[in-house]
Amino acid sequence: MKWSFLFCCGLAAASALNKPPIKKFELDLTWSSRAPDGVERKQILVNGQSPGPPLIIDEGDEVEVTVNNFLPFNTTVHYHGIEQQGTSWSDGVPGVSQKLIAPGRKFVSKFTATQYGTYWYHSHSRGQNMDGLYGAIYIRPREIPESLVNAISNDSLARSQIQKAFQDPQLLMISDWFHNTSEELRQISLSANIDTLCVDSILINGKGRVRCVDPGYLTSLVPPPLSPLLQGQNFTAKGCLPTHNTFAQMTSTHHFNKLPPSLFDQCNATNTPEEEIKVDPHDGWMSLNLIGAASISTLTFSLNNHSLWVYEVDGQYIVPTKVDALTLTNGPRYSVLVELNNKPGDYRMTLANAGLNQKIAGYGVFSYINGDPSVVGTSSLNYGGVPSPHAILLDENTVKPLIPNAPAAKADSTFLLKIGRIEKAWKWYLNGDHSYDLSLETEKPLLWDYQSRENSSLVITTKNGTWVDIIFDVTGNKTTLQPGHPIHKHSNMVYVLGAGSGKFNWTTVEEARKDIPDMFNLVDPPKRGVSFQLWKHQSGGSQVIPDTFTTLPALKGPSWMAVRYHVQNPGPFLIHCHIDPHLTGGMALAMLDGIDAWPEIPEQYGPTGEWGNATERQ
Ligand SMILES: *[C@@H]1O[C@H](CO)[C@@H](O)[C@H](O)[C@H]1NC(C)=O
Ligand SMILES: *[C@@H]1O[C@H](CO)[C@@H](O)[C@H](O)[C@H]1NC(C)=O
Ligand SMILES: *[C@@H]1O[C@H](CO)[C@@H](O)[C@H](O)[C@H]1NC(C)=O
Ligand SMILES: *[C@@H]1O[C@H](CO)[C@@H](O)[C@H](O)[C@H]1NC(C)=O
Ligand SMILES: *[C@@H]1O[C@H](CO)[C@@H](O)[C@H](O)[C@H]1NC(C)=O
Ligand SMILES: *[C@@H]1O[C@H](CO)[C@@H](O)[C@H](O)[C@H]1NC(C)=O
Ligand SMILES: *[C@@H]1O[C@H](CO)[C@@H](O)[C@H](O)[C@H]1NC(C)=O
Ligand SMILES: *[C@@H]1O[C@H](CO)[C@@H](O)[C@H](O)[C@H]1NC(C)=O
Ligand SMILES: *[C@@H]1O[C@H](CO)[C@@H](O)[C@H](O)[C@H]1NC(C)=O
Ligand SMILES: *[C@@H]1O[C@H](CO)[C@@H](O)[C@H](O)[C@H]1NC(C)=O
Ligand SMILES: *[C@@H]1O[C@H](CO)[C@@H](O)[C@H](O)[C@H]1NC(C)=O
Ligand SMILES: [Cu+2]
């Protein structure tokens, strides 16, 4: 730049003074035995723990993360929700933005924290997210909008307490846990031909226990309109839909003799300690930042006798909304403010699976300092995740961004993606009839040679600066049930324009709006970077059945959803289902964004660079 040349020395001095030092993190990955829910197994630890340490960053920081792979297998680490503006090589997707990191090797990701809010990091190789490779990212905001605080309180003490809570939140990594490793699960699902929809426990910050609940009781928790889906069977001892359920597992041939009885049936309870959060009532307010790191469970959260002011969704402030419970699919984050104004006690936090695949819950303790431990309060959720009649469950359709924004009125191009399964219960696709095979992870990164898969239906290209529509056409018929798929687009947020039941009979949103205008909102649609879950089904009374029940439309027939985004960051970015067995089952697609303005790759990240070729085993 001429300007900087002219003022070179003065500016250099100033920027040296103003520029904060680079925030550096080292993540050492190891494969060790641990028993987070009381049952020992091998898992991935990050710096000796799972979840790994949180990465606390300030908005605007330059960040450098070194991943040291001491695992006995390849890996990569992805920074979920981080837009990677101009740094697509740091996105952590093997075969797309980089090569796999071989055992004994390392990889350094560098990016600028251009956003604020709550994110997370996790493995993006195979099913390793199910082995515990994840941790929180929190980017402290440069400033908190007055309007955000105004909506909650005008009391000056409360306002300062709320400001403090925003800066120093309690991070809660919410996950589910299997007693088999991800590779064992994959081997079982392929040889038995089943979708592994049954977990062993729910973890909060890596802690939980195995609960075994009477199957007859669990069956009674299913709302009557849905009970035909059980096909006259009870849940198993683990609370799972039996593998014989053809809605969930399709009618194709299964090899049940290849299933270890522990996977769906046998339950052995444990009594390990659960997560306990200490809260000081003198703080007045606190922020709980929930991170949906579960692999398959759709978890509804509530905190006994405390309202939740939801104010941040996927790293974006929203108009604060007071609820009693909210549902987390796989990938998203919700931050809630909680007022510490109750009788000091040990209040229970509940996380109950809202999906039909399994009735399972996990708990934690929200403990007031010097409180009475016999005061535990009352939960607004039952074990099946159904809110009590007067409880308010966050309705995503009513979420409004704090600062209004809207997409372009028209898209420049439209992609229609057909979602379904191919013959096998475990084999999914996102675009027509091709699965994104795991072997693509070992291919040359698309970053280096975007033309290498140019004729594949597993790669689509967009032009920089254009507006792109993606319409998901979820196939469905009367014999097979498709769960809601939480779709994640790497690098950018998308506007959710509309969703509904039935076949999408049009080729563009424009055409569809002429026939079904009520199904679209182009004025202030929720903007989601990560997962979106729109359909809520009323089943009589005030009972709202969330999330995985979005599969209902796929039972009666197909469903659709339309999203729109602005291409602003050229580079190769994956779009995929965030249910881990669906991702490893092939439900992914690579998007070559801004193909006409492809980035110049820094030498370090190229094929002969330090972080390119050097990631191969020597
Ligand atoms: C705080 O004051 C503003 C401005 O008068 C008002 O709009 C807002 O509703 C008030 N907030 C609360 C929580 O009462
Ligand atoms: C899965 O775990 C169960 C229980 O620990 C074990 O019996 C089984 O062998 C494991 N499956 C595989 C494929 O290793
Ligand atoms: C389901 O469980 C209940 C209670 O445990 C039992 O009475 C009932 O017979 C079971 N139903 C089936 C279909 O097994
Ligand atoms: C778990 O429980 C089943 C019965 O449900 C039993 O057969 C099995 O041996 C138990 N496994 C362990 C490890 O205790
Ligand atoms: C918790 O709420 C229930 C009603 O929802 C009420 O009966 C109970 O007294 C409350 N407990 C405390 C400690 O506030
Ligand atoms: C590990 O990565 C290398 C290089 O990409 C690849 O050749 C190898 O097959 C991978 N190993 C496994 C077990 O996937
Ligand atoms: C894609 O198809 C075109 C037209 O058939 C062909 O010229 C081109 O070589 C193909 N590209 C690759 C990578 O196979
Ligand atoms: C890509 O498009 C965005 C939005 O129009 C623009 O700001 C950016 O400069 C473009 N990038 C390149 C490399 O052309
Ligand atoms: C229903 O969909 C499944 C999965 O796509 C397919 O295998 C099956 O043949 C379909 N059945 C009917 C009756 O169309
Ligand atoms: C598409 O057309 C079919 C056949 O007429 C109809 O059943 C279906 O409801 C239509 N889809 C929508 C979303 O209206
Ligand atoms: C990668 O490194 C190996 C060993 O250092 C070398 O033999 C090979 O030519 C390199 N590949 C490329 C594409 O540079
Ligand atoms: Cu899915």
Side-chain angles (χ1 to χ4, degrees):
M1 269 188 287
K2 266 191 203 126
W3 185 70
S4 68
F5 180 72
L6 281 174
F7 297 93
C8 93
C9 307
L11 267 185
S15 70
L17 283 178
N18 297 335
K19 223 175 169 185
I22 297 171
K23 281 259 164 71
K24 294 190 181 184
F25 301 94
E26 293 259 339
L27 304 179
D28 292 345
L29 310 182
T30 54
W31 185 237
S32 318
S33 284
R34 285 290 186 282
D37 65 359
V39 175
E40 196 163 287
R41 57 157 278 192
K42 287 271 197 179
Q43 71 167 97
I44 301 175
L45 300 181
V46 186
N47 297 359
Q49 62 183 79
S50 175
L55 311 183
I56 310 290
I57 298 164
D58 289 294
E59 189 179 346
D61 278 353
E62 298 295 324
V63 183
E64 204 178 288
V65 188
T66 303
V67 175
N68 295 306
N69 183 11
F70 300 120
L71 299 166
F73 41 79
N74 294 326
T75 194
T76 63
V77 173
H78 165 62
Y79 305 89
H80 188 116
I82 300 293
E83 57 189 10
Q84 302 289 1
Q85 189 63 48
T87 53
S88 58
W89 38 84
S90 293
D91 196 44
V93 182
V96 176
S97 64
Q98 69 170 81
K99 296 203 90 168
L100 282 154
I101 313 172
R105 307 306 299 256
K106 67 175 170 182
F107 187 87
V108 179
S109 285
K110 296 179 190 175
F111 57 87
T112 309
T114 48
Q115 301 148 285
Y116 63 84
T118 315
Y119 304 87
W120 59 303
Y121 60 89
H122 62 77
S123 167
H124 220 295
S125 179
R126 305 178 69 88
Q128 292 167 15
N129 188 44
M130 295 188 271
D131 297 319
L133 199 179
Y134 45 71
I137 300 176
Y138 183 60
I139 307 178
R140 280 189 293 239
R142 204 177 268 143
E143 68 177 318
I144 294 154
E146 284 284 307
S147 56
L148 189 62
V149 188
N150 286 350
I152 301 168
S153 180
N154 280 327
D155 173 79
S156 64
L157 175 62
R159 291 174 71 90
S160 69
Q161 291 170 331
I162 290 168
Q163 298 270 356
K164 202 159 158 269
F166 283 140
Q167 294 297 340
D168 189 18
Q170 169 70 53
L171 302 167
L172 292 182
M173 291 293 298
I174 307 302
S175 56
D176 48 13
W177 193 243
F178 293 90
H179 292 160
N180 283 102
T181 66
S182 66
E183 290 301 329
E184 289 170 357
L185 286 172
R186 180 154 172 89
Q187 190 197 318
I188 296 167
S189 67
L190 266 61
S191 57
N193 187 23
I194 48 115
D195 205 6
T196 43
L197 300 170
C198 187
V199 307
D200 289 288
S201 56
I202 305 301
L203 307 182
I204 304 179
N205 287 343
K207 289 182 186 167
R209 68 175 65 151
V210 181
R211 288 189 161 73
C212 305
V213 177
D214 171 48
Y217 168 67
L218 296 178
T219 302
S220 77
L221 296 175
V222 176
L226 299 183
S227 48
L229 300 180
L230 298 179
Q231 300 181 323
Q233 297 162 333
N234 276 333
F235 287 102
T236 68
K238 271 176 78 173
C240 295
L241 269 189
T243 48
H244 293 88
N245 186 293
T246 57
F247 287 124
Q249 299 293 349
M250 303 175 74
T251 45
S252 61
T253 315
H254 303 289
H255 306 284
F256 295 124
N257 59 332
K258 298 277 169 46
L259 284 174
S262 61
L263 194 59
F264 278 79
D265 299 319
Q266 286 174 356
C267 190
N268 305 81
T270 63
N271 201 24
T272 29
E274 293 174 305
E275 176 68 343
E276 183 174 316
I277 294 165
K278 283 279 178 209
V279 303
D280 185 346
H282 293 109
D283 291 343
W285 288 82
M286 80 178 300
S287 178
L288 294 178
N289 296 21
L290 295 138
I291 300 169
S295 292
I296 65 167
S297 309
T298 298
L299 297 163
T300 302
F301 173 82
S302 77
L303 168 58
N304 287 5
N305 293 68
H306 289 76
S307 295
L308 313 171
W309 276 99
V310 189
Y311 71 90
E312 182 214 338
V313 180
D314 289 356
Q316 266 203 116
Y317 292 135
I318 61 160
V319 175
T321 309
K322 199 169 160 184
V323 301
D324 299 300
L326 58 85
T327 303
L328 281 161
T329 59
N330 321 93
R333 287 87 55 214
Y334 293 84
S335 298
V336 301
L337 271 175
V338 177
E339 190 171 7
L340 306 173
N341 61 350
N342 239 304
K343 191 173 170 199
D346 279 356
Y347 294 90
R348 217 175 192 203
M349 300 184 284
T350 303
L351 281 158
N353 188 38
L356 190 66
N357 63 308
Q358 184 169 15
K359 294 291 133 202
I360 186 170
Y363 300 94
V365 182
F366 188 85
S367 176
Y368 279 66
I369 289 169
N370 300 325
D372 175 355
S374 69
V375 174
V376 299
T378 313
S379 182
S380 54
L381 296 175
N382 71 14
Y383 195 81
V386 178
S388 49
H390 300 292
I392 303 166
L393 178 69
L394 178 71
D395 178 355
E396 294 241 358
N397 293 294
T398 64
V399 165
K400 299 277 174 219
L402 187 71
I403 298 163
N405 57 21
K410 260 190 97 158
D412 300 299
S413 55
T414 298
F415 298 96
L416 198 61
L417 304 184
K418 200 167 124 195
I419 293 182
R421 278 195 268 200
I422 310 169
E423 292 164 16
K424 311 281 187 199
W426 56 270
K427 199 169 183 185
W428 293 88
Y429 56 78
L430 188 57
N431 185 19
D433 51 6
H434 286 86
S435 282
Y436 194 95
D437 198 87
L438 279 181
S439 65
L440 291 172
E441 287 190 0
T442 61
E443 293 283 297
K444 182 160 61 168
L446 285 164
L447 176 74
W448 299 350
D449 184 2
Y450 56 75
Q451 285 163 334
S452 59
R453 281 179 250 159
E454 66 179 349
N455 298 329
S456 162
S457 63
L458 299 172
V459 173
I460 56 182
T461 61
T462 66
K463 291 230 169 73
N464 193 44
T466 62
W467 284 88
V468 173
D469 277 358
I470 301 178
I471 297 161
F472 300 99
D473 172 13
V474 186
T475 61
N477 58 39
K478 291 199 162 55
T479 64
T480 176
L481 186 151
Q482 234 192 104
H485 300 284
I487 306 288
H488 175 40
K489 165 72 173 68
H490 286 220
S491 179
N492 60 272
M493 315 281 274
V494 301
Y495 293 92
V496 183
L497 303 184
S501 321
K503 174 128 188 62
F504 195 81
N505 297 320
W506 307 271
T507 55
T508 62
V509 166
E510 278 359 275
E511 278 178 24
R513 278 180 74 203
K514 288 190 189 122
D515 292 344
I516 48 167
D518 295 347
M519 301 302 289
F520 292 92
N521 169 16
L522 274 86
V523 180
D524 53 0
K527 195 178 175 194
R528 300 301 305 261
V530 183
S531 315
F532 32 79
Q533 204 79 37
L534 271 190
W535 309 299
K536 309 280 175 182
H537 291 274
Q538 303 287 140
S539 92
S542 60
Q543 224 173 43
V544 177
I545 301 165
D547 304 291
T548 310
F549 289 89
T550 54
T551 54
L552 269 178
L555 172 76
K556 295 177 186 138
S559 70
W560 61 272
M561 171 181 275
V563 305
R564 179 168 294 174
Y565 77 96
H566 192 202
V567 183
Q568 288 171 301
N569 187 24
F573 295 107
L574 213 62
I575 181 169
H576 64 89
C577 177
H578 221 288
I579 294 176
D580 286 303
H582 291 185
L583 171 58
T584 57
M587 206 170 156
L589 179 67
M591 300 202 63
L592 304 178
D593 276 332
I595 193 94
D596 55 327
W598 206 246
E600 189 94 27
I601 306 161
E603 203 265 325
Q604 277 185 318
Y605 291 95
T608 55
E610 205 177 349
W611 314 124
N613 189 36
T615 58
E616 280 175 42
R617 192 199 281 274
Q618 280 178 324

